[in-house]
């Protein structure tokens, strides 16, 4: 009775990008056991992200960790009648337990921006938080796929890589900077201009919008490739420029609208849930799972770079190239490199100095 009820709820789940796996071949009952840990689970992103991961039929165990507040979040989320068992962990002494056996660790821990700040202004606080969390990941779940959300992503991912290298656990295939929100924004803004269907549905015959976003995750380092957007649309240079700028400034648009009460949380939770779902699908052997992510890369001369990545049973299966760029995009690519490199180097230096 309980199992059939649960299956029907999972089938009915309508979170875009989350329920599709059960549609694509894994009945909830046959999906492998997967533990997901959310670090920073009591925060603005952490809470809705925990909810979305609870709705994901691919998750069998959900560990919610924060410095405080997680028992309440876990109790609340655990009453939702979906597959996963939920446990809350609060305080450093419980971090190991939260991480043990995790297949995917999602990190939205750290302070958000206020108006007037850049993401790099968060470095001083968030670098230390990420470093200590990654030290624990190296100890308790060295093979987990790590989805880094904490800003500045352009630096926190290199910090994580250095921590894992020092611990002897680094596997470049398992470390991801989550840039999915840039893609989500680019799709939304493009669909508005191109009058396309913003997200695929069963009932709509129009193709779903897709826009690759490459580079990094801050200001001009965010480079949407609207020349590769699908479905194609006949947009003017001015329209492409405006779309590019709006995508690059999407985070700031939310920070200013929230007027001191933080940055994007709900859209980020949605984006984080899509990316974690893609990681789980890859681990489970679903073919052709491709998402943009900030990973160790040879696509440019920079050691880390966001581009399309094929996900598989070991994490990154293939880092895909940039494809054909327009002159405008080539200019954007060259312009972003110095800033992105300096953020990467700042992260590496921090991890090795402290
Ligand atoms: N990658 C992206 O696209 C993206 C998008 C939005 C926000 N962010 C970033 O995500 C981070 C979190 O944003 P938010 O709005 O959820 O902030 P928030 O302040 O609402 O929540 C952060 C949570 O992290 C927790 N935390 C702090 N130190 C911790 C530690 N050592 N271990 C575990 N948890 C800890 C806090 O207790 C809090 O609950 C920020 O750095 C923000 O800039 C990234
Ligand atoms: O803008 C921020 O500070 C948060 C996040 O990186 C975003 O893009 O919304």
């Amino acid at each position: 009775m309980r199992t059939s009820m649960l299956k029907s709820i999972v089938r009915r789940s309508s979170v875009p990008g989350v329920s599709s796996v059960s549609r694509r071949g894994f009945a909830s009952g046959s999906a492998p056991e997967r533990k997901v840990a959310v670090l920073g689970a009591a925060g603005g992103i952490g809470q809705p992200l925990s909810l979305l991961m609870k709705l994901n039929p691919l998750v069998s165990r959900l560990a919610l960790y924060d410095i405080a507040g997680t028992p309440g979040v876990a109790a609340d989320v655990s009453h939702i009648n979906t597959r996963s068992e939920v446990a809350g962990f609060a305080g450093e002494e419980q971090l190991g337990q939260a991480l043990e056996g995790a297949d995917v660790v999602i990190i939205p821990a750290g302070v958000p921006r206020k108006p007037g700040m850049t993401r790099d202004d968060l470095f001083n606080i968030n670098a230390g938080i990420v470093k200590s969390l990654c030290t624990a990941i190296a100890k308790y779940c060295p093979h987990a796929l790590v989805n880094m959300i904490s800003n500045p992503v352009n630096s926190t991912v290199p910090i994580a890589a250095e921590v894992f290298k020092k611990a002897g656990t680094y596997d470049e295939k398992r470390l991801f900077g989550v840039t999915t929100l840039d893609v989500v924004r680019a799709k939304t803004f493009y669909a508005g201009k191109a009058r396309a269907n913003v997200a695929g549905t069963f009932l709509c015959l129009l193709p779903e919008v897709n826009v690759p976003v490459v580079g990094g995750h801050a200001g001009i380092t965010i480079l949407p490739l609207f020349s590769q957007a699908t479905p194609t649309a006949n947009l003017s240079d001015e329209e492409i420029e405006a779309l590019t700028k709006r995508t690059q400034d999407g985070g700031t648009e939310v920070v200013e609208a929230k007027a001191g009460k933080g940055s994007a949380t709900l859209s980020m939770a949605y984006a984080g849930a899509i990316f974690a779902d893609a990681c789980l699908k890859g681990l489970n052997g679903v073919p052709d799972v491709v998402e943009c992510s900030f990973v160790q890369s040879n696509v440019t001369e920079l050691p880390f770079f966001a581009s399309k990545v094929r996900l598989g049973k070991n994490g990154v299966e293939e880092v895909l190239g940039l494809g054909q760029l327009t002159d405008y995009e080539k200019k954007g690519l060259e312009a972003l490199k110095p800033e992105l490199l300096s953020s990467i180097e700042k992260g590496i230096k921090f991890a090795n100095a402290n």
Side-chain angles (χ1 to χ4, degrees):
M1 162 79 175
R2 203 168 158 261
T3 315
S4 64
M5 191 172 74
L6 197 143
K7 275 185 182 164
S8 95
I9 282 155
V10 164
R11 255 185 260 119
R12 275 190 276 133
S13 165
S14 61
V15 179
V18 165
S19 59
S20 50
V21 167
S22 46
R23 290 185 204 128
R24 277 204 212 159
F26 283 116
S28 62
S30 66
E33 300 284 306
R34 294 289 177 202
K35 175 173 172 178
V36 172
V38 181
L39 311 184
I45 296 167
Q47 292 202 36
L49 180 57
S50 300
L51 166 66
L52 294 176
M53 295 320 295
K54 175 68 175 130
L55 298 184
N56 190 320
L58 298 184
V59 183
S60 57
R61 277 196 297 157
L62 186 57
L64 306 183
Y65 173 81
D66 205 306
I67 46 179
T70 27
V73 179
D76 189 355
V77 164
S78 73
H79 288 188
I80 297 169
N81 52 335
T82 53
R83 179 186 182 202
S84 52
E85 280 174 20
V86 184
F89 302 90
E92 240 184 282
E93 61 288 353
Q94 295 191 359
L95 178 56
Q97 251 180 298
L99 291 172
E100 246 158 14
D103 297 287
V104 176
V105 179
I106 316 175
I107 313 183
V111 291
R113 282 200 284 164
K114 287 189 185 329
M117 291 171 83
T118 66
R119 291 176 182 81
D120 186 59
D121 292 334
L122 306 172
F123 186 98
N124 288 345
I125 299 177
N126 289 354
I129 293 174
V130 162
K131 192 177 174 201
S132 70
L133 293 174
C134 289
T135 304
I137 290 170
K139 184 168 175 194
Y140 293 104
C141 55
H143 303 299
L145 303 192
V146 175
N147 293 184
M148 183 68 70
I149 292 174
S150 312
N151 270 318
V153 168
N154 292 354
S155 301
T156 52
V157 169
I159 290 172
E162 291 305 303
V163 170
F164 296 150
K165 278 181 202 167
K166 274 193 190 170
T169 64
Y170 183 53
D171 177 353
E172 73 273 14
K173 293 185 168 59
R174 294 175 181 270
L175 176 59
F176 303 87
V178 181
T179 57
T180 319
L181 183 52
D182 302 317
V183 175
V184 164
R185 286 177 176 141
K187 285 181 179 186
T188 305
F189 304 154
Y190 179 79
K193 273 265 178 270
R195 292 172 192 232
N197 179 27
V198 72
T201 67
F202 290 124
L203 296 175
C204 188
L205 296 175
L206 291 171
E208 181 185 344
V209 161
N210 230 320
V211 185
V213 182
V214 303
H217 177 68
I220 62 158
T221 73
I222 300 167
L223 184 62
L225 303 179
F226 287 110
S227 68
Q228 295 175 23
T230 54
T232 52
N234 206 4
L235 300 180
S236 66
D237 291 352
E238 291 71 31
E239 284 174 312
I240 299 278
E241 211 167 303
L243 282 174
T244 301
K245 181 121 186 50
R246 185 154 185 222
T247 306
Q248 291 173 334
D249 293 344
T252 306
E253 188 178 317
V254 179
V255 168
E256 282 169 3
K258 289 199 174 180
K261 297 224 162 64
S263 55
T265 53
L266 304 175
S267 50
M268 182 58 236
Y270 170 80
I274 286 180
F275 190 72
D277 181 63
C279 287
L280 290 164
K281 284 177 187 163
L283 287 176
N284 290 352
V286 175
D288 292 325
V289 181
V290 175
E291 289 289 339
C292 289
S293 180
F294 184 65
V295 294
Q296 183 174 311
S297 173
N298 293 320
V299 163
T300 67
E301 64 274 31
L302 304 186
F304 293 90
F305 199 81
S307 66
K308 283 192 204 168
V309 167
R310 189 181 310 285
L311 294 153
K313 290 187 175 175
N314 299 305
V316 175
E317 210 153 74
E318 187 185 0
V319 179
L320 300 169
L322 298 180
Q324 192 74 30
L325 303 186
T326 61
D327 286 346
Y328 177 69
E329 290 162 352
K330 280 183 195 156
K331 229 169 105 191
L333 176 62
E334 290 316 306
L336 71 80
K337 286 179 182 173
E339 180 183 327
L340 184 50
L341 181 60
S342 124
S343 301
I344 293 168
E345 285 173 344
K346 187 172 175 178
I348 294 173
K349 195 166 159 206
F350 170 87
N352 291 314
N354 292 273

